[in-house]
Amino acid sequence: MPGFANRSLLDIEGLTRADVERILDTAEAFLQVSRRPVRKVPTLRGKTIINLFYEASTRTRTSFELAGKRLSADVINMNVSASSVKKGETLQDTCRTLQAMHPDVIVIRHGASGAPNYVASKIDCSVINAGDGMHAHPTQALLDAFTIRRDKGTLDNLVVTIVGDIAHSRVARSNAHLLKLFDCEVRVVGPRTLLPAAADSLGVRVFDDLKTALDGADVVMVLRIQSERLEGALLPSMREYARTFGIGPRTIAYAKPDAIVMHPGPMNRGVEIESLVADGERSVVLEQVEAGLAVRMALLYLFAGEGAEPPAVGEAD
Amino acid sequence: MSVEILESTSGIEDLTLVGIRRGGVALAARIAEEIAAVEGRSPPVGTVDISLYRDDAATALPNPKIGPSDIPFDVRGRHVVLVDDVLHTGRTVRAAIECLQDHGRPARIWLAALCDRGGRELPIAPDFVGRTIEVDTGRLDVWIDAAGPDRVVLTEGE
């Protein structure tokens, strides 16, 4: 199996089933590091990680920052929305500037689909996609898979129902791609206006009735409804959405008795999920946060640390 | 070696054993069994994985699969005997000591090795040694497991 060093993690489609298993197995070791008295290992001492965030994000950025620090790397956060973009710098110029700083890993979140691919083609280091437009959010899919595997003991042949705004969701796309590697039955359900036009290409089953979609589900993934963007345009009202597709004690009963409920956060309580479920015993929302840290530590370790050769000296372009 | 460990350290009360992955794990379990045969009870046994503490973590090729360190007891204030099958350069032990200290501050760390093959590259000396076998080149492999008889094999090589 080829190593991960000097590769980039742009989407789940670039990974094999064996890659995913290797990442999740490595994350198990890092989960344990975060539970010790000294929650830090010296593995990436001397490595530089740049968090390049063009979109507001608290939890993903914090998770990556902490992951890098627990590996003893030097972590630099650049909230570009607040700086260069306002001053008119292009992505290409930002890439050149960063290249001159010789980072080992760039973690990027960008509102435009494909921006991480562009950066990866311009900069000679590993690029990890932390969410780009409506394209992909591979680290979220991996941490979700890690959480599911720890709870269910396996990823194979599960029934996973994703509820909400599927059409605009990079989380749904990446999760669907990953779960297909393990022969899961992936179902999506939501209002017609929020279902993808080309669901077949994702390999998912499309439902418009919540009860049928949840019947026999092992895992229920609830997506965030971006009320600020959708209300009035694609959704009549939040109240109607909550009544039809909201996950509460009544609707969760349609799924298997041992089904777990996941949410990538931040949650709109009372819209896509009710507090009784979000804080209930089936909820693994906080496990997802802990998994996120372990998985991101594993990714930084594999992509920055693993067998990385020092860059050739004297090369210029 | 097990008796020597019992006699030299603080006694069974504060004694713990930690095997270094992977060769030291089975050996630590074996020593614990022998101590149990004498004392009537076994000291706590843990394992450390040093992959994250290697001094060549950034350049090692290919990277071995990391296993979790597993120390299911508090090391603070205890006597910890690090156990490995073969002691060579001392780099593994250095990494294991660092890893152990991240789990807490033991009263004392000891080192037990079944075979000392010499060739140290760091100022590290064992407290308990089964056998000293000076080996310049070649491989020294130790098997202690349920699958077959215990054996130490020296393979000549460059």
Side-chain angles (χ1 to χ4, degrees):
Chain A
M1 184 177 21
F4 292 99
N6 297 329
R7 281 170 60 185
S8 289
L9 178 64
L10 301 175
D11 50 33
I12 294 294
E13 294 93 304
L15 299 176
T16 63
R17 184 188 160 112
D19 287 338
V20 172
E21 285 174 339
R22 175 113 191 265
I23 292 167
L24 300 187
D25 291 345
T26 307
E28 291 284 345
F30 286 108
L31 195 63
Q32 175 268 335
V33 170
S34 292
R35 294 174 175 176
R36 304 185 322 187
V38 176
R39 292 183 283 273
K40 195 172 175 111
V41 289
T43 318
L44 294 188
R45 206 160 42 189
K47 302 272 183 181
T48 303
I49 297 168
I50 297 182
N51 281 333
L52 186 60
F53 277 66
Y54 284 86
E55 266 187 354
S57 157
T58 308
R59 54 184 67 214
T60 305
R61 205 214 66 219
T62 312
S63 182
F64 266 110
E65 181 177 357
L66 196 53
K69 287 182 171 169
R70 289 203 172 156
L71 290 166
S72 302
D74 295 310
V75 183
I76 293 143
N77 289 312
M78 293 183 62
N79 291 317
V80 195
S81 53
S83 63
S84 311
V85 169
K86 292 232 170 81
K87 296 175 190 164
E89 184 173 84
T90 63
L91 187 54
Q92 182 171 13
D93 281 334
T94 306
C95 285
R96 285 191 179 144
T97 309
L98 295 179
Q99 171 83 53
M101 297 178 189
H102 303 294
D104 296 284
V105 180
I106 290 179
V107 176
I108 177 171
R109 164 165 293 190
H110 201 289
S113 304
N117 303 57
Y118 176 81
V119 173
S121 72
K122 292 288 174 192
I123 302 187
D124 186 24
C125 76
S126 294
V127 174
I128 295 180
N129 180 1
D132 62 328
M134 291 186 265
H135 171 225
H137 195 349
T139 66
Q140 179 74 41
L142 286 162
L143 76 88
D144 287 344
F146 184 78
T147 310
I148 296 171
R149 197 177 75 164
R150 281 188 73 83
D151 189 273
K152 298 290 173 197
T154 179
L155 279 171
D156 288 299
N157 306 309
L158 297 172
V159 177
V160 180
T161 304
I162 309 178
V163 188
D165 181 2
I166 313 296
H168 301 104
S169 174
R170 57 196 176 204
V171 175
R173 282 178 51 88
S174 285
N175 264 306
H177 283 297
L178 193 155
L179 293 166
K180 295 310 282 181
L181 292 175
F182 293 86
D183 298 316
C184 288
E185 180 184 332
V186 183
R187 303 172 178 174
V188 298
V189 60
R192 275 282 161 81
T193 46
L194 301 181
L195 290 175
D200 293 344
S201 66
L202 265 179
V204 299
R205 292 182 65 195
V206 180
F207 292 80
D208 49 18
D209 172 53
L210 186 61
K211 187 175 179 180
T212 334
L214 290 179
D215 184 41
D218 297 290
V219 177
V220 182
M221 285 186 183
V222 188
L223 298 179
R224 176 182 160 74
I225 287 294
Q226 297 180 320
S227 47
E228 65 283 359
R229 213 166 76 188
L230 299 177
E231 190 156 22
L234 293 166
L235 282 179
S237 81
M238 289 303 123
R239 274 184 64 195
E240 183 183 328
Y241 180 86
R243 219 170 33 237
T244 322
F245 294 103
I247 300 296
R250 181 180 59 84
T251 44
I252 193 62
Y254 300 142
K256 276 193 187 165
D258 64 345
I260 53 172
V261 179
M262 312 179 75
H263 193 299
M267 294 188 282
N268 289 311
R269 288 169 184 265
V271 181
E272 72 264 8
I273 190 163
E274 289 180 33
S275 287
L276 276 171
V277 171
D279 306 327
E281 57 183 21
R282 292 158 170 245
S283 165
V284 293
V285 171
L286 295 178
E287 282 84 347
Q288 285 175 274
V289 177
E290 197 180 6
L293 185 58
V295 165
R296 287 174 179 125
M297 284 174 79
L299 289 169
L300 292 174
Y301 167 74
L302 291 168
F303 283 84
E306 184 190 53
E309 293 289 335
V313 179
E315 288 284 325
D317 58 340
Chain B
M1 199 158 84
S2 304
V3 172
E4 210 185 324
I5 288 172
L6 259 182
E7 284 173 353
S8 308
T9 58
S10 56
I12 187 84
E13 280 310 317
D14 283 328
L15 182 64
T16 63
L17 302 174
V18 171
I20 302 175
R21 253 180 224 277
R22 290 158 44 175
V25 176
L27 185 61
R30 179 72 61 84
I31 293 173
E33 277 173 30
E34 295 196 358
I35 288 177
V38 176
E39 288 286 318
R41 64 193 171 100
S42 165
V45 183
T47 60
V48 286
D49 185 287
I50 58 109
S51 321
L52 300 174
Y53 290 85
R54 294 171 64 108
D55 52 14
D56 55 355
T59 51
L61 270 174
N63 217 316
K65 196 178 155 187
I66 326 176
S69 294
D70 180 20
I71 302 184
F73 48 83
D74 194 350
V75 299
R76 276 176 292 181
R78 320 243 351 218
H79 282 244
V80 181
V81 181
L82 277 175
V83 180
D84 207 353
D85 54 355
V86 179
L87 178 60
H88 184 205
T89 61
R91 289 181 193 270
T92 301
V93 175
R94 199 252 349 130
I97 292 171
E98 194 181 341
C99 178
L100 194 59
Q101 286 182 324
D102 282 352
H103 284 82
R105 185 176 187 272
R108 178 159 180 185
I109 300 176
W110 305 73
L111 175 61
L114 190 63
C115 300
D116 181 357
R117 61 168 287 179
R120 218 78 77 234
E121 293 170 4
L122 292 173
I124 279 172
D127 299 291
F128 313 106
V129 180
R131 181 75 75 87
T132 303
I133 309 168
E134 283 289 341
V135 182
D136 287 338
T137 57
R139 292 171 56 88
L140 188 63
D141 292 305
V142 175
W143 282 273
I144 311 163
D145 50 44
D150 297 342
R151 55 207 191 281
V152 176
V153 177
L154 174 61
T155 316
E156 295 293 340
E158 34 23 289

